[in-house]
Amino acid sequence: AATAVLGTGLLAVALLGGGAAIAADPITLKLGYSLPPTSHYGVGADAFAKALAEKTDGKYVVEMFPSNALGGEREMIEGAQFGTIDLVVTSTGPVGNFVPDTLTFDIPFLFRDYAHARGVLDGEIGQAVLDKFPERGLIALAWGENGFRHLTNNKVAVTEPEDVKGLKIRTMQNDVHMRAFTTLGALPTPMAFPEVFTAMQQGTIDGQENPIPVIVSGNFAQVQKYLSLTGHVYSPALFIMAPSRWDELSDAEKTAFKEAAKIGADAMRKQVETFEADGIAKLEAAGMTVVEHPDSARFAEALAPAYAEYEKRFDPELIKRIRAWQ
Ligand code: EAX
C-alpha cells in the first residue's frame, strides 16, 4: 500500500508541475481510451486530469489507460456501468447501444462543419442528450470530439458513391452508420476498434472510415493506400463516468468534474484542429493517395433511402432543428 500511495503522489506531482497542493491520501481514478497518448483523446484526457487535480486540490489523481489497454470502446462503457472503470473517453460509435438518444448525432451529413457540430453539442440540444445518460446507468460529463470521418481503403480511389459498391468496410458497432454503408452498396463489417489495424493488414476488410486524427495517430497509412475526404459523418466524443463513482461526489466535486471535462474537451478539439491542419500532408508523405474532393453531394443523394428511415426512427423535428442551427 505504501508504494501505491507513493506512486500516485509522484503522478500528481508530474501532472501539476509541482505547483498545487497534493492531498495526503489521493483517490486514483482509472481512465481508459482507444488511441495512443499523443492522440486528441490523450491530449484531452491529460488536460482533464490536470484541471481536476487543480480544482480538487489534488484529491483525485487520474491514471491513464490509453491504446485500448482496458478493451474496446463498448467494453469500456460496460466497465463504467459496472463501476470497474471510473472514466472513459470514447467516440459515440457504440454509445447508441446504451443511450439511443446519441444516435441522432450519428446521421451522415447532419453537420456542415466543426462550428455547427460544436455549437449544437454545446447548446441545449447537446445538453438534453447528456441528461439522458443517468437513466441508462451512465454519467456523461461533457462532449469531446473525434472529428469528421473519411473513408480509407486498399482497392480504389473513391470519388463517387458507385466506387464504394462491394467494398468490405469496417464500421463502428453503430447501426446508423451500418445502414448508411449498406445503402451505398458497401459490405459493412461492424468491428471493435482494437481489431481494425490487423484486419486491414490481413485483408479481411478492404477499408474503414475514421477522422484524420485517428488515421494519423493509428498509423493507418501503413496498411491503407487510398484516402477519400468524404467527411460523411461527424464523430463526437464523450467523457463518460461510472455512476458508482459519481454518486460518491459532493455537489462541489460534481461541478469540478464537469468543469474539468469541459477543459479536457476544449483541449481535445484544439488537438483535432492541429491534426486536421497537417494530417493530410503527413498521410500523403506516408504514401497514401488522397482524393481531396470526392462528390459529397452525390454521396448525400445516394443516402436518400437511409434518410427516409432515420426520419421514421428519430424525431424529424429534432433533425430539422439540428440542420437549421446557425
Ligand atoms: O474513438 O472505433 C472507431 O473507429 C473510433 O472512431 C476510434 O476508436 C476513436
Side-chain angles (χ1 to χ4, degrees):
T3 11
V5 171
L6 182 63
T8 52
L10 288 173
L11 180 56
V13 172
L15 287 170
L16 298 173
I22 296 159
D25 202 1
I27 297 171
T28 303
L29 302 175
K30 274 185 171 183
L31 185 154
Y33 56 92
S34 283
L35 301 169
T38 49
S39 67
H40 50 308
Y41 287 1
V43 168
D46 288 349
F48 164 76
K50 184 167 178 282
L52 183 67
E54 280 165 6
K55 286 176 186 295
T56 62
D57 293 325
K59 179 169 174 186
Y60 292 97
V61 173
V62 182
E63 195 180 351
M64 300 294 174
F65 293 86
S67 308
N68 308 307
L70 301 179
E73 294 187 330
R74 188 177 184 144
E75 286 167 90
M76 288 192 282
I77 296 163
E78 276 165 5
Q81 273 187 332
F82 293 139
T84 52
I85 299 176
D86 303 304
L87 294 151
V88 185
V89 172
T90 178
S91 72
T92 52
V95 176
N97 300 306
F98 301 86
V99 186
D101 290 87
T102 63
L103 287 170
T104 312
F105 298 143
D106 297 315
I107 295 175
F109 298 112
L110 179 66
F111 297 110
R112 296 180 297 274
D113 51 29
Y114 280 107
H116 184 196
R118 293 170 181 184
V120 169
L121 294 175
D122 292 346
E124 56 180 60
I125 296 175
Q127 187 56 49
V129 175
L130 296 183
D131 292 343
K132 299 280 183 184
F133 279 67
E135 66 203 52
R136 301 286 175 163
L138 288 165
I139 300 296
L141 298 174
W143 291 104
E145 182 163 85
N146 197 15
F148 277 92
R149 302 179 81 88
H150 305 292
L151 188 66
T152 71
N153 82 97
N154 267 331
K155 288 264 155 94
V156 54
V158 171
T159 58
E160 302 288 334
E162 289 74 21
D163 299 327
V164 172
K165 285 210 163 82
L167 286 183
K168 259 194 233 164
I169 304 291
R170 176 269 175 171
T171 66
M172 298 197 286
Q173 294 149 305
N174 180 302
D175 56 8
V176 171
H177 287 192
M178 287 178 65
R179 184 74 186 89
F181 280 94
T182 309
T183 303
L184 293 175
L187 307 171
T189 310
M191 191 183 281
F193 186 74
E195 295 159 41
V196 176
F197 191 90
T198 312
M200 291 188 290
Q201 203 166 32
Q202 297 181 342
T204 49
I205 50 172
D206 299 318
Q208 63 85 46
E209 43 84 56
N210 248 304
I212 297 297
V214 177
I215 299 171
V216 172
S217 36
N219 292 320
F220 286 4
Q222 289 176 10
V223 288
Q224 292 277 272
K225 176 93 188 93
Y226 301 106
L227 166 63
S228 290
L229 302 179
T230 45
H232 52 274
V233 69
Y234 175 80
S235 183
L238 282 160
F239 282 84
I240 285 178
M241 185 162 179
S244 52
R245 274 291 185 194
W246 179 252
D247 292 342
E248 291 169 354
L249 303 178
S250 68
D251 285 348
E253 285 169 346
K254 284 179 179 166
T255 303
F257 271 72
K258 284 194 173 166
E259 287 174 355
K262 189 72 194 100
I263 289 170
D266 289 344
M268 195 184 297
R269 287 172 176 179
K270 276 221 179 74
Q271 192 59 32
V272 168
E273 285 166 18
T274 304
F275 277 117
E276 289 279 2
D278 64 7
I280 294 163
K282 277 188 184 156
L283 295 169
E284 264 173 328
M288 289 190 101
T289 301
V290 180
V291 178
E292 297 228 13
H293 300 290
D295 199 337
S296 304
R298 288 207 53 236
F299 273 94
E301 270 166 42
L303 287 172
Y307 287 129
E309 224 175 77
Y310 300 145
E311 300 232 336
K312 266 189 239 147
R313 180 166 174 196
F314 306 114
D315 176 2
E317 278 310 308
L318 176 61
I319 296 176
K320 242 188 241 161
R321 268 176 71 208
I322 295 173
R323 288 200 190 279
W325 188 94
Q326 289 295 336

